[in-house]
Amino acid sequence: MRRLLLAVGLFLVYALPAFAKGSDDRASVGNDITIAEGETAGDVACLFCFVHVHGDVKGDVAVMFGRVEVDPGRSISGDVAALGADMNLGEGSTVGGDVAIAGGDANLAPGAMIHGSRTVLSSRIWLLLPFAPLLILIGLIWLIVYLVRRNRYQFPAYPHGRGF
């Protein structure tokens, strides 16, 4: 399940623009997304922003490093995937699909319901997982530079083995 969550998170990073395929779909980087009351949205994808649902969402919601807030009595028909994000469901609100959250929390008010499965990995250590390959690469580069510099520098040799 952890590998699946990681794969979904990485997929979201690279496929964020592809989510905005229809006129009712929403995608944003750094700007909050608000579905107004009486409005219906399709799929919603958000990176470094909040999703405020005052209306209804007929598709899926994907958030990375932000928050999903659903007003009381509103619904998300599809799935919710979040990395480094919290989800707040108001009283009587519903999620029709599955909920997968890594590095965040799911706060459900009384009467809020998730119809699919719920996987919440609340520890913030999961936020480092997408960056692990980058950290390993940086460490290898540092090690190579250190070894090359150490072997290239020649300490001065004093004549007759004396110091100053």
Side-chain angles (χ1 to χ4, degrees), residues 73-163:
R74 301 301 176 187
S75 67
I76 297 173
S77 298
D79 301 327
V80 175
L83 177 65
D86 295 333
M87 181 181 71
N88 300 321
L89 292 178
E91 187 174 334
S93 59
T94 61
V95 175
D98 301 331
V99 172
I101 299 174
D105 249 340
N107 304 313
L108 280 68
M113 192 179 329
I114 297 172
H115 292 286
S117 65
R118 177 171 66 172
T119 303
V120 178
L121 305 171
S122 60
S123 175
R124 299 288 180 194
I125 195 72
W126 293 104
L127 299 178
L128 293 177
L129 203 56
F131 303 109
L134 181 64
L135 293 175
I136 291 170
L137 180 65
I138 290 171
L140 286 174
I141 291 171
W142 176 84
L143 179 65
I144 291 169
V145 169
Y146 171 77
L147 291 175
V148 168
R149 283 187 178 173
R150 187 184 71 169
N151 289 334
R152 291 179 106 190
Y153 184 74
Q154 297 294 324
F155 292 98
Y158 297 105
H160 309 291
R162 295 185 306 194

